Every structure is written in C-alpha cells, then in structure tokens.
Amino acid sequence: MAISPEPRIQRFAVDTDPTLVWQTIEQDSVAIITDVVPPDVIQRFQQEIEPRVESWENAALNGWKFSPHTKFVNGLLSSSQAYRHDILNNSALHGMCKAAFEQTGDYWIVSAVHRLTQPGHPAQDWHRDANGWPLVKCQQPGSPPLTITIIIPTTEFTEANGATRLFLGSHQWPSVDVPSDARPTVAELKAGDMLVMRQGVVHSGGVHTAEAPDTRGMLLLSLASCQLSQYESALGLPRPLVESLTPLVQKLVGWRTIFPLGHPMGLNTFRSGLVEEKLGLQANQPLEE
C-alpha cells in the first residue's frame, strides 16, 4: 500500500502577487511568505522589546492558565519603533490583508503579542482562533473570512522548539475534532518569514523540547474585518506617539474612521464624519524617542 506524501505548506517569495497567495490559503488554510521582515528590523524589534520581556511576571504567579515556560508581551506600539514604523507598514503584510478582506473592506489589528516559549512548554490543544466573537461561529460555509492570524517569527521555528502544527484545509472541517486519517504538518520558519492562517484552521503550538535550549520568539498578530471589535484598544496611547504614525497604521490601530465594503459613512466616526478630522489628527510627525 502506497504511503501518502507528507503534507507541506506552500511557500511564496515576498514579491508574489498576494491574490495568488490567498487563492492557496482558501484551499489549504495557510501559506508561508518568506523573507518578509528584514533581519535588521527583527533585531531592532527584539532589542526594543527586551525591557518588557525582562519585566514580564511569571504567569503562574498571577494564576493565569499559561505554562510557566512562556511569556506574552503586549503594548508593542508604545514599546518598539521597529514595530510601529517598519513592521506595521510592511507592504507584504498589507497585501495579504487586502486580499483576505477583499469582500468585506477595511481591516484592523485586534490583538498583537510578542510571545516567547522555552524548553518545557507543552503542546497546545488543537484549536481555532477567533473564539472571542460568537458571531464568527455562526457564519455559513463559504462565507468570506472575518479574521486571519499572522505569525512572524523573531527566531527560527523548528519542530524541536514547538513550531506551529496545523492541518491543511481544516478551515473547511465542520468542527475542531480531528478526523482519524488527518495528518498535521509543521510550519518550520526562519526569523522574518510570515505564516498566514485563514480563519478556521485547526492548529496548535508544539512541545518546546530540551533538544532546543534557546527561547523561541514570535510576533503574533490577529487581524479582522473592521466590523469586529478589537481585543486591545490603542486609544490610551499618548497623542504625540499616535501622530508619529503613518495614516495607514493609525487606521490599523483604530485612530481613524474605517470603512466596510459598500459603507459610505464608515465606522468609528464622529457625528457621521471622519473621527481624525474632528480630532485634528496629524501623521508622520517627529517623535522624541
């Protein structure tokens, strides 16, 4: 009896047409785009976020349901210039978002976390993202996605250090229950690659084994149609920091009016007008770092 080949995630160069990449994702649930974030940007991001990493408290001390071998660091906009100016303006990232949300309109970040794991971190249960919105579970088969997950490793992803495992095509499954004949594949990545996962893909982080003693790091971004609310609001950021951002990033983090497809008035408005005009919001202003 012939053995089926190991399922593999398709990989694309950074300059590939995002529409072609998205066609693959609609079939396979996932794709990898290589060399999206340059090494110098990854290095600067790690250096800038390091004080937040070092000051992060052990989750076990707070009674959280996380392994003591992992850290979740948020507040990235205020902590890293590389994140807010280089990563969030990345053309490959926005190209994929535009392709993913072509049928629904504007999109924004609903959650952004720098996650790290160390040896001893257990495998996650198989799951789907976007559980925070019951509305998503009510979508009919064939509906356009309302969310996507983007993972940008800041270190190498290998099977030994717990790289993301997933089932190709599993966004089409009726539930998260894994069929007996399904075979997962491992998303092995270099730092700066981008793993794009469609809403509904069944996946989990793997075991971070003792064979990989170094910390594994990633930037974990949840993006959604602007018709869904954000998990993490940026409205508490200092005004000078917000005004140092590009208009694109200001919209991405909820400081500008945003437009679902075919909606002339938009969402996040003030008296039916653009909220940025009411605020007198500027952009691309110098910021004393």
Side-chain angles (χ1 to χ4, degrees):
M1 180 177 178
I3 299 176
S4 301
E6 189 75 20
R8 292 185 179 275
I9 302 171
Q10 294 197 51
R11 296 172 182 266
F12 298 88
V14 69
D15 58 354
T16 305
D17 183 347
T19 302
L20 297 179
V21 180
W22 185 252
Q23 288 174 0
T24 293
I25 294 173
E26 282 284 36
Q27 176 179 325
D28 291 354
S29 307
V30 64
I32 293 169
I33 304 176
T34 59
D35 303 314
V36 171
V37 180
D40 66 299
V41 175
I42 293 291
Q43 184 178 23
R44 284 194 290 114
F45 172 74
Q46 290 175 307
Q47 292 171 344
E48 291 165 354
I49 209 71
E50 185 61 23
R52 294 288 316 282
V53 172
E54 290 299 320
S55 64
W56 196 84
E57 295 183 7
N58 188 319
L61 299 178
N62 298 324
W64 295 352
K65 297 179 180 180
F66 294 136
S67 159
H69 304 288
T70 189
K71 295 182 178 182
F72 289 82
V73 180
N74 54 18
L76 306 182
L77 272 170
S78 58
S79 303
S80 171
Q81 184 184 48
Y83 172 72
R84 62 180 178 260
H85 288 298
D86 296 284
I87 295 174
L88 291 190
N89 282 299
N90 186 281
S91 59
L93 185 152
H94 285 281
M96 285 312 310
C97 289
K98 290 176 181 177
F101 301 114
E102 181 182 11
Q103 298 182 63
T104 55
D106 280 341
Y107 52 90
W108 53 12
I109 290 176
V110 295
S111 177
V113 175
H114 180 42
R115 183 182 178 193
L116 304 104
T117 69
Q118 297 171 331
H121 180 66
Q124 295 176 312
D125 293 334
W126 296 112
H127 65 279
R128 286 170 163 157
D129 292 338
N131 289 327
W133 301 286
L135 172 69
V136 170
K137 299 178 183 179
C138 298
Q139 285 186 277
Q140 296 183 3
S143 297
L146 296 179
T147 71
I148 61 172
T149 299
I150 287 179
I151 296 177
I152 301 174
T154 56
T155 63
E156 187 178 25
F157 264 38
T158 67
E159 186 168 7
N161 71 11
T164 303
R165 309 169 300 162
L166 52 90
F167 293 94
L168 299 183
S170 57
H171 70 279
Q172 302 178 61
W173 292 358
S175 73
V176 75
D177 296 329
V178 178
S180 59
D181 59 346
R183 300 175 64 191
T185 187
V186 178
E188 296 192 314
L189 305 160
K190 306 187 309 296
D193 288 348
M194 186 166 77
L195 177 68
V196 185
M197 300 195 300
R198 191 195 189 282
Q199 172 187 318
V201 61
V202 178
H203 66 286
S204 80
V207 177
H208 192 143
T209 70
E211 298 173 14
D214 294 333
T215 298
R216 177 176 64 111
M218 73 194 83
L219 179 58
L220 180 59
L221 300 176
S222 295
L223 297 110
S225 162
C226 61
Q227 297 166 79
L228 298 181
S229 59
Q230 296 172 300
Y231 292 152
E232 182 181 354
S233 173
L235 296 181
L237 291 175
R239 179 73 174 254
L241 189 150
V242 174
E243 292 191 331
S244 75
L245 305 175
T246 64
L248 178 63
V249 174
Q250 288 175 343
K251 179 189 288 188
L252 195 62
V253 300
W255 269 80
R256 285 178 174 260
T257 294
I258 203 160
F259 292 88
L261 193 67
H263 196 299
M265 190 176 299
L267 302 176
N268 200 29
T269 65
F270 182 81
R271 294 182 180 173
S272 303
L274 301 177
V275 69
E276 59 267 29
E277 290 186 356
K278 169 59 182 177
L279 295 173
L281 189 66
Q282 300 184 74
N284 296 314
Q285 299 300 300
L287 176 68
E288 294 184 8
E289 299 286 353

